[in-house]
Every structure is written in structure tokens, then in C-alpha cells.
């Protein structure tokens, strides 16, 4: 197994997540990351990326793949294990994903937790459920269908100007347009906001809304939108990440209304910039 190291790309990837679950291995280069995840997320990626034409969700999966980082399967481990635990378990599975930051060295990023509830599939004690519900009520989760879980703003030289991680309850609805403006603005020059990047985001989010309203039949509980804006190199991306609490609805006609609510409100904010 290649040497594992944490580099700048790794640190950016986890602006709003769990840094101890992401690695870059030399044998893959910087285009692929290893994510240590649970069985549910691995199964979700397998279903989406490796579905057969006979699968009733085959058409849905073909579209959904466009909104996710590329999935390259489960890493084959060689002893000794590089991970925190000595053996694999259902909560310790190394999957290989596209490194969305590999070709965007100066990218500013924004991580948005989507939906109107952040309760995961994990069984929890009653007091934990109440604590999570209280946290949701203190953020924009209920009112906008998403909340900011982290962001990094960089200047045109790739230097970090601002970094915020897990600001639970501190970022209000009126601050979100300001954060988006920072994300989408050219830094250290007079060019102002990047209209090309705004149009890209609006176009991609509109496609997501159409898909979620008409085809998507899964609940993307606790998933995030990962927005990447490299204003200097004019490279942009927006992907859905974290499928650890993703589950299929019983009916192909059921829709994830919380995710749709969040996408719709995010698009409305972008249209005001």
C-alpha cells in the first residue's frame, strides 16, 4: 500500500466534515481520495454506479451519477491496516472517490448540509434525538432546507482569507448571501463578482431540482452540497457528498421534499446576487 499523507487537498476537502476519515495514497495520485465510511454509504455508491439495466432505479442512477463525485469502488487493503481500527467493520470501509479539488489549487469552498432535518439513520437515544432537533432549530435547517457547515475563502494567490468550520447556530439566513458573494468574488482585484460562476451554479442547481422533483426516489438524509469555486482558474464544481444516511424510498414516486426545499431556496438566493 502506498504511503498515506495529509496534504493541502485533504485539508480543504474536510472543511465541514471529519478530517480523520479522508486520506490520499501515493499509488492513486491526488485525483483520488480514500474515504473511511460506513456500510450504508458504500452500498449506496455501489447501487448508483453499478446498477444493471433491469434495476427499477437504473435511469435514476444514470442521472444521479452526474451530481456525485466519481466512485471507483472499495480499496483492496494490504496488511498492516493504515486506518484507525485494526480491522474493517461496517463503520470502517475504505472507498475510493474522485478528489474534487485536485485541479483547483486556488478554490474557495462551501459545504452545505441539506434537508430540513439532520437526524441520520443511526439509532439514537431519546436525549440525542432531542439535542439534534434543537440544533436544527437554531440553524437555517428548518427555514431554508440547508445550513452552512463550513467554508474557506481564498485570495487569488491561493492564500486562505477566511475559514469557518461547523458554525452551528451562528450563521443566520441574512448572512448566507454575504458568504456566497465572498465565495463568488475575485479577490485582490477590481473585477468584482464572478458572473460566470454564478450562472454555472444556477444552471447546475436548476438541473438538480428538475431531477429531484421528477425522478429521484431516495432520501438523502444528512447529505451535503459541496461547492467549489476557483475564480482565478475559472474552474467550478458542485456535487452532492456524504451518502452515509442515504436510503431508497419504498415507492419510486416518493420524493425527498427536504432536499428539494433546500435546493429551491439556495437557487433563489443565488438569483439575488
Amino acid at each position: 500500500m502506498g504511503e498515506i499523507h495529509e496534504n493541502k487537498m485533504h485539508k480543504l476537502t474536510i472543511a465541514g466534515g471529519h478530517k480523520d476519515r479522508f486520506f490520499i495514497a501515493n499509488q492513486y495520485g491526488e485525483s483520488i481520495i480514500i474515504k473511511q465510511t460506513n456500510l450504508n454509504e458504500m452500498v449506496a455508491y455501489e447501487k448508483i454506479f453499478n446498477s444493471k439495466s433491469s434495476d427499477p432505479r437504473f435511469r435514476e442512477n444514470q442521472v444521479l451519477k452526474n451530481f456525485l463525485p466519481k466512485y471507483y469502488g472499495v480499496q483492496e487493503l494490504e496488511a498492516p491496516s493504515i486506518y484507525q481500527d485494526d480491522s474493517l467493520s461496517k463503520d470502517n470501509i475504505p472507498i475510493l472517490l474522485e478528489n474534487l479539488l485536485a485541479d483547483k489549487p486556488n478554490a474557495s469552498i462551501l459545504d452545505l448540509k441539506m434537508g430540513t432535518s439532520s437526524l441520520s439513520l443511526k439509532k439514537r437515544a431519546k436525549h440525542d434525538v432531542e439535542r439534534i432537533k434543537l440544533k436544527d432549530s437554531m440553524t437555517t435547517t428548518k427555514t431554508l432546507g440547508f445550513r452552512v457547515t463550513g467554508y474557506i475563502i481564498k485570495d487569488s494567490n491561493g492564500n486562505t482569507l477566511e475559514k469557518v468550520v461547523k458554525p452551528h447556530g451562528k450563521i443566520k439566513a441574512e448572512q448566507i448571501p454575504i458568504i456566497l458573494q465572498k465565495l463568488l468574488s475575485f479577490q485582490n482585484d477590481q473585477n468584482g463578482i464572478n458572473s460566470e460562476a454564478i450562472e454555472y451554479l444556477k444552471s447546475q442547481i436548476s438541473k438538480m431540482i428538475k431531477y429531484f422533483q421528477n425522478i429521484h426516489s431516495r432520501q438523502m438524509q444528512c447529505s451535503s452540497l459541496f461547492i467549489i469555486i476557483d475564480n482565478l482558474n475559472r474552474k467550478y464544481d458542485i456535487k452532492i457528498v456524504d451518502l452515509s444516511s442515504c436510503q431508497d424510498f419504498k415507492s419510486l414516486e416518493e420524493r425527498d421534499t427536504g432536499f428539494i426545499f433546500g435546493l429551491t431556496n439556495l437557487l433563489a438566493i443565488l438569483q439575488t446576487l
Side-chain angles (χ1 to χ4, degrees), residues 15-221:
H18 304 278
K19 66 180 181 180
D20 57 338
R21 288 188 171 270
F22 294 89
F23 305 89
I24 293 178
N26 284 343
Q27 74 263 37
Y28 302 121
E30 292 190 348
S31 63
I32 294 177
I33 61 169
I34 304 169
K35 180 181 181 183
Q36 189 178 351
T37 190
N38 63 20
L39 179 63
N40 193 76
E41 182 164 30
M42 184 272 284
V43 170
Y45 272 109
E46 286 288 335
K47 283 182 178 180
I48 295 163
F49 279 83
N50 297 319
S51 64
K52 306 296 183 183
S53 58
S54 57
D55 186 336
R57 287 186 169 85
F58 178 75
R59 175 170 168 261
E60 173 182 335
N61 292 335
Q62 296 305 107
V63 180
L64 180 56
K65 285 193 289 188
N66 297 317
F67 302 132
L68 303 175
K70 293 183 179 69
Y71 171 70
Y72 300 104
V74 178
Q75 185 191 31
E76 294 184 8
L77 290 179
E78 300 173 9
S81 173
I82 61 168
Y83 301 101
Q84 292 178 330
D85 300 332
D86 292 332
S87 60
L88 290 180
S89 70
K90 65 180 181 179
D91 293 318
N92 185 20
I93 299 173
I95 63 173
L96 304 176
L97 297 173
E98 174 188 9
N99 182 357
L100 299 172
L101 292 162
D103 62 343
K104 304 174 186 68
N106 298 303
S108 296
I109 62 174
L110 174 62
D111 191 318
L112 302 175
K113 182 76 72 178
M114 301 300 291
T116 53
S117 171
S118 59
L119 278 170
S120 67
L121 295 178
K122 184 178 179 180
K123 291 184 179 180
R124 298 179 182 274
K126 184 177 179 180
H127 68 274
D128 284 335
V129 172
E130 294 304 317
R131 176 181 55 81
I132 292 171
K133 287 182 177 179
L134 177 62
K135 183 171 70 174
D136 286 347
S137 70
M138 296 171 61
T139 70
T140 56
T141 291
K142 292 290 187 183
T143 56
L144 291 179
F146 68 87
R147 70 168 180 255
V148 175
T149 56
Y151 65 88
I152 296 174
I153 306 299
K154 286 191 169 187
D155 65 18
S156 57
N157 296 315
N159 300 313
T160 299
L161 296 176
E162 187 176 354
K163 180 176 181 179
V164 175
V165 179
K166 293 189 176 181
H168 299 319
K170 296 179 181 178
I171 294 181
K172 308 301 181 183
E174 59 269 21
Q175 295 172 276
I176 292 174
I178 298 171
I179 294 170
L180 285 168
Q181 280 188 324
K182 291 179 182 179
L183 184 81
L184 294 160
S185 293
F186 295 99
Q187 305 294 333
N188 296 349
D189 60 35
Q190 303 300 315
N191 291 328
I193 200 161
N194 186 345
S195 58
E196 180 183 75
I198 293 178
E199 291 306 312
Y200 169 81
L201 290 182
K202 290 194 295 185
S203 174
Q204 291 301 107
I205 293 170
S206 295
K207 291 175 184 177
M208 287 184 183
I209 292 172
K210 183 178 180 180
Y211 161 76
F212 271 83
Q213 288 177 334
N214 296 293
I215 305 175
H216 188 79
S217 62
R218 290 183 173 93
Q219 185 172 23
M220 309 293 280
Q221 196 76 1

Side-chain angles (χ1 to χ4, degrees), residues 136 226 240:
D136 286 347
F226 193 53
I240 300 168

